[in-house]
């Protein structure tokens, strides 16, 4: 059973409404392409994060294969907290701009009774203010997949300024705390999609730029 949290008000843009006279449109026919410029953090060591754009240009998927935070007898001193900051080079067709209208973060958690874990995420265009921080807590006992959905209305979407070329930065953190659980047990939370299809999906909104 998938544990889902939906919060339309939790992820709010700090950059204001779109330019006057602009309105959302269907995705352009020409391809949107994305490449990973850099991946920094102990949650995404080299080669462990990838991005794929949907054929209809309506979304892109981020996949991790080493993003696991855990506490337990065999855990290292920094294993309880894992972070990843991705810098993405997003190329879009001329005459359009885009923004992130919805983000679905997904993973798996095995938390002993008394343990808890946190997922924190935000994204922003290079040189611009970050979105509001999305933060959720999961409490043990838990042994299940999870999904967190952050969605904003079009009036609150952060848009790439027309005609500019800026990297999109995505920063995510997973943290697990032993709490009152037995110190001889192991608890973990993951955003690792190597065994289960638990990718992070970003839904894209499009606008035409003024001529």
């Amino acid at each position: 059973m998938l544990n889902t949290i939906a919060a339309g008000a939790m992820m709010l843009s700090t950059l204001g409404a779109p330019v006057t006279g602009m309105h959302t449109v269907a995705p352009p026919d020409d391809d949107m392409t994305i490449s990973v410029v850099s991946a920094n953090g102990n949650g995404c060591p080299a080669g462990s994060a990838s991005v794929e754009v949907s054929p209809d240009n309506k979304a892109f998927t981020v996949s991790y294969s080493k993003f696991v935070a855990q506490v337990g007898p065999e855990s290292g001193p920094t294993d309880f907290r894992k972070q990843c900051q991705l810098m993405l080079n997003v190329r879009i067709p001329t005459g359009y701009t885009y923004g992130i209208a919805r983000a679905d973060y997904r993973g798996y958690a095995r938390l002993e009774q008394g343990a808890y874990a946190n997922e924190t995420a935000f994204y922003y265009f290079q040189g611009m203010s970050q979105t509001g921080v999305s933060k959720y807590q999961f409490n043990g006992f838990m042994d299940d997949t999870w999904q967190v959905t952050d969605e904003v209305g079009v009036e609150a979407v952060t848009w790439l300024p027309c005609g500019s070329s800026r990297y999109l930065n995505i920063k995510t953190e997973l943290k697990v705390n032993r709490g009152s659980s037995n110190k001889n047990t192991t608890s973990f939370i993951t955003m690792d999609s190597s065994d289960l299809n638990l990718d992070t999906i970003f839904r894209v909104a499009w606008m035409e730029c003024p001529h």
Side-chain angles (χ1 to χ4, degrees):
M1 179 179 179
L2 188 67
N3 287 282
T4 304
I5 302 174
M10 289 293 290
M11 177 84 69
L12 298 180
S13 167
T14 60
L15 299 179
V19 176
T20 301
M22 298 178 69
H23 60 279
T24 56
V25 296
D29 293 330
D30 293 338
D31 288 342
M32 173 188 196
T33 63
I34 303 178
S35 58
V36 178
V37 177
S38 65
N40 297 307
N42 57 2
C44 53
S48 67
S50 61
V51 182
E52 182 176 351
V53 181
S54 66
D56 58 9
N57 284 343
K58 291 182 178 180
F60 63 90
T61 299
V62 179
S63 301
Y64 305 94
S65 61
K66 301 289 184 181
F67 207 159
V68 183
Q70 68 176 27
V71 292
E74 298 181 1
S75 301
T78 62
D79 288 346
F80 77 99
R81 181 183 183 187
K82 293 297 178 74
Q83 296 177 308
C84 178
Q85 178 159 333
L86 295 178
M87 180 181 288
L88 305 181
N89 184 14
V90 182
R91 296 186 179 276
I92 60 175
T94 302
Y96 290 86
T97 185
Y98 79 99
I100 306 300
R102 170 173 164 166
D104 296 322
Y105 304 98
R106 301 190 292 178
Y108 192 91
R110 174 61 163 80
L111 304 172
E112 292 292 331
Q113 185 66 41
Y116 58 93
N118 295 100
E119 177 269 350
T120 305
F122 62 86
Y123 49 84
Y124 61 95
F125 291 111
Q126 182 183 26
M128 300 171 68
S129 300
Q130 69 182 48
T131 63
V133 176
S134 162
K135 187 172 184 178
Y136 300 91
Q137 181 167 306
F138 304 92
N139 299 311
F141 181 79
M142 179 179 176
D143 187 8
D144 207 348
T145 55
W146 58 265
Q147 176 174 316
V148 167
T149 296
D150 289 305
E151 188 168 8
V152 296
V154 65
E155 71 282 353
V157 169
T158 299
W159 300 94
L160 175 71
C162 282
S164 69
S165 178
R166 300 173 186 241
Y167 292 137
L168 175 65
N169 292 283
I170 298 172
K171 187 171 183 178
T172 311
E173 178 184 278
L174 297 177
K175 184 164 62 174
V176 61
N177 192 300
R178 186 190 310 281
S180 61
S181 65
N182 189 315
K183 66 179 182 180
N184 294 317
T185 60
T186 297
S187 292
F188 68 87
I189 184 170
T190 175
M191 205 175 279
D192 186 335
S193 61
S194 57
D195 296 323
L196 300 171
N197 187 24
L198 297 173
D199 303 310
T200 297
I201 302 175
F202 293 90
R203 315 289 177 175
V204 179
W206 290 95
M207 282 190 179
E208 286 187 300
C209 292
H211 297 296

